[in-house]
Amino acid sequence: MEMKVEITHKDTIKPSSPTPLSQRNYKLSLIDQLTPGPYVPIVLFYDSTTKFSHDHLQKSLSKTLNYMYPLAGRIKDEFTIECNDKGVDFLEANVSNITLSNIVNDPKIGTLSQLLPCHPHARSKEPSDQILLAVQVTKFPCGGISIGVCVWHLIADASTLATLVNTWAKMNQENNVIGNGYIVDVTGIFPPRDLSNNPLLTMVPIPEELPFKISMKRFIFDNSKLAALIQSCERCPTRFEALSAFLWSAIISTWKDKKSEIKVCILMTSINLRKRMIPNLPTNSMGNLVYPTMAKWEVEEGVIDYKKLVERVEESIRMVEDSYIRRIHEKNGYIDYMKSILELCITRGNEVGIAGCISWCKLPFYEADFGWGKPIWIANPIKFPCGFNLLDSGDGKGIEVWLGLPEEEMLLLEKNKHFLSYVSLSQDV
């Protein structure tokens, strides 16, 4: 049954206190500048015992924007967000024909997207008109609600999104929040550059514009299967390292089974820098504080060796520490690194296969209690042309994977018995 969503009201929410003139210009770092433009979306689901007030949610969001005021601003130029308090979008909606449990038990990206305030790839004609944050609160006939949030990626990574929803939730309960640390100027570490006509800005395609159909699936790996993966390794990798290498090996297998031209297999993993810098950056600091690591395996190495892939993933992550990050951001080091990946793809063409990896594990999305309990489930409804996002499962013990591949490759993955033997749940999304 197709879900029917009616938008019943739309407001613009501004910070409850005007942003001081001294804080009107928020500086973008080089990492912000090179971050792809779509929104970072999330939908949080709360069960049918929920009692809430739209007015109270709007007031608590307004107070939250006092701390995260750049989200209520607009893009001034390629170096700056003007914190002019123009506000964020707040939508109210109702679903009339299905319950919240229908969606949680059988999620589909098309359905989940209707619970977002905008399409993740929506763009204004003029950058200065781009809304940087939008939320949608949707009520279901069973009494449950969903909160859909879209934050513009130029100014926020997944950690910023987690900080936003948790700060808003605490404000809604009138709890104390950490009053500082949200706004940190990191342009001294990651100095911005003039990127006019830079080819790096066009590296990430829009899924709907690709010449092939993307197939998305949701897999759950329970704690026992994760433990089995770790035990199969000679060293003791983290759960993230073991699972991301396992998923990478499965993707490489589909490339080989497809008899594709791919000879160089790359896994790009986005790593949170906040706790890797010395001194640590505040956990609640805004912006894109991430680094894309690169693990590489070549077909000429022979049979796919899972243990070797784990080592490659470990090595690519281990190198991301303070001195390395500061060194690569001197002069044009970071841009040269990103260009080298682009040039590899151009010179080797179809011989290069890149899979992307994002992890939301350990980000406190399941702690976002607005006063009616913690979320029963969260979703990141976005398509990956070739890659995956790892999230904590609802029980906090396993890991949920949203994986996207070209349709032909997903059909091959679904026939991989070794891969499926570790999967507790498999769903088309």
Side-chain angles (χ1 to χ4, degrees):
M1 180 185 297
E2 184 177 350
M3 182 173 68
K4 296 179 181 178
V5 181
E6 180 188 5
I7 305 298
T8 58
H9 195 69
K10 181 178 180 179
D11 276 313
T12 298
I13 308 300
K14 300 182 179 184
S16 59
S17 298
T19 300
L21 290 175
S22 60
Q23 298 172 359
R24 279 288 175 133
N25 290 314
Y26 175 83
K27 299 177 183 178
L28 297 171
S29 73
L30 177 61
I31 306 176
D32 293 325
Q33 290 180 300
L34 287 173
T35 299
Y39 287 99
V40 185
I42 189 172
V43 185
L44 304 97
F45 294 88
Y46 296 87
D47 67 22
S48 57
T49 61
T50 299
K51 292 182 179 180
F52 72 100
S53 159
H54 284 115
D55 183 61
H56 193 59
L57 281 170
Q58 289 182 353
K59 288 179 180 178
S60 59
L61 178 58
S62 179
K63 292 178 182 178
T64 300
L65 293 174
N66 290 339
Y67 296 93
M68 305 182 76
Y69 53 86
L71 295 175
R74 296 294 183 269
I75 298 169
K76 181 178 182 180
D77 53 42
E78 64 176 314
F79 300 99
T80 316
I81 299 295
E82 183 179 4
C83 305
N84 51 19
D85 297 342
K86 285 197 172 181
V88 307
D89 284 350
F90 186 103
L91 283 67
E92 300 171 19
N94 289 327
V95 170
S96 59
N97 62 329
I98 64 173
T99 64
L100 183 144
S101 61
N102 294 141
I103 294 177
V104 172
N105 294 331
D106 186 24
K108 303 294 181 189
I109 286 182
T111 302
L112 294 168
S113 296
Q114 296 181 66
L115 303 176
L116 294 173
C118 59
H119 190 283
H121 288 274
R123 284 180 182 269
S124 298
K125 290 183 179 180
E126 296 296 329
S128 58
D129 293 330
Q130 190 71 50
I131 301 293
L132 303 183
L133 171 65
V135 301
Q136 178 176 314
V137 180
T138 305
K139 188 173 182 179
F140 290 81
C142 59
I145 70 166
S146 68
I147 296 182
V149 181
C150 285
V151 61
W152 194 242
H153 210 339
L154 176 72
I155 196 174
D157 56 13
S159 180
T160 303
L161 179 58
T163 294
L164 167 67
V165 296
N166 276 279
T167 302
W168 182 17
K170 289 176 181 177
M171 283 291 185
N172 204 61
Q173 291 203 69
E174 299 182 357
N175 289 342
N176 292 328
V177 300
I178 300 171
N180 53 25
Y182 289 92
I183 310 300
V184 178
D185 184 357
V186 295
T187 56
I189 308 172
F190 315 118
R193 299 278 192 268
D194 182 355
L195 299 178
S196 303
N197 302 315
N198 194 302
L200 293 174
L201 297 177
T202 60
M203 281 183 69
V204 180
I206 297 174
E208 288 80 6
E209 296 179 358
L210 292 169
F212 54 84
K213 186 176 180 181
I214 297 173
S215 178
M216 288 290 302
K217 289 189 77 75
R218 173 188 179 224
F219 301 106
I220 293 180
F221 295 80
D222 65 30
N223 193 43
S224 64
K225 298 297 185 182
L226 295 170
L229 283 175
I230 292 171
Q231 289 168 6
S232 70
C233 301
E234 293 175 1
R235 293 186 286 187
C236 188
T238 64
R239 299 200 320 167
F240 167 73
E241 291 165 345
L243 182 54
S244 60
F246 181 69
L247 295 165
W248 185 28
S249 69
I251 291 173
I252 295 173
S253 293
T254 68
W255 291 338
K256 294 189 75 173
D257 292 343
K258 186 183 173 184
K259 294 182 172 55
S260 70
E261 301 174 48
I262 293 174
K263 295 179 180 179
V264 181
C265 307
I266 293 173
L267 180 68
M268 300 290 297
T269 303
S270 185
I271 301 297
N272 189 341
L273 297 178
R274 289 169 177 80
K275 292 184 179 180
R276 292 177 178 267
M277 304 302 295
I278 301 174
N280 290 171
L281 297 170
T283 304
N284 61 333
S285 50
M286 286 186 59
N288 290 285
L289 296 169
V290 295
Y291 180 80
T293 68
M294 181 175 70
K296 185 165 68 172
W297 182 84
E298 300 197 34
V299 172
E300 66 182 22
E301 295 182 50
V303 178
I304 302 170
D305 186 332
Y306 170 64
K307 293 178 183 179
K308 281 188 179 180
L309 295 183
V310 172
E311 290 176 5
R312 303 279 168 88
V313 172
E314 287 179 314
E315 289 165 3
S316 71
I317 294 173
R318 193 182 306 119
M319 66 184 288
V320 183
E321 42 80 30
D322 183 83
S323 61
Y324 171 79
I325 292 300
R326 291 180 187 273
R327 187 170 64 252
I328 202 170
H329 275 275
E330 291 177 355
K331 297 182 180 179
N332 283 322
Y334 183 68
I335 291 178
D336 290 343
Y337 167 66
M338 298 300 291
K339 279 185 176 179
S340 70
I341 300 170
L342 180 59
E343 287 168 3
L344 176 66
C345 295
I346 293 171
T347 57
R348 300 287 297 268
N350 293 336
E351 292 183 357
V352 179
I354 298 180
C357 170
I358 302 169
S359 176
W360 286 14
C361 292
K362 297 185 179 180
L363 292 177
F365 290 112
Y366 279 102
E367 298 301 312
D369 182 353
F370 286 80
W372 49 70
K374 296 178 180 180
I376 60 170
W377 188 56
I378 66 167
N380 172 225
I382 195 165
K383 291 185 176 182
F384 302 97
C386 181
F388 48 87
N389 189 3
L390 278 58
L391 307 90
D392 294 315
S393 58
D395 62 7
K397 297 177 182 179
I399 294 179
E400 187 171 319
V401 177
W402 288 59
L403 186 147
L405 287 173
E407 193 172 49
E408 182 183 355
E409 294 172 17
M410 186 66 81
L411 291 172
L412 292 171
L413 181 65
E414 291 172 335
K415 297 176 182 178
N416 186 330
K417 293 181 180 179
H418 176 67
F419 173 79
L420 294 176
S421 68
Y422 284 87
V423 174
S424 305
L425 174 71
S426 172
Q427 286 180 318
D428 291 317
V429 291

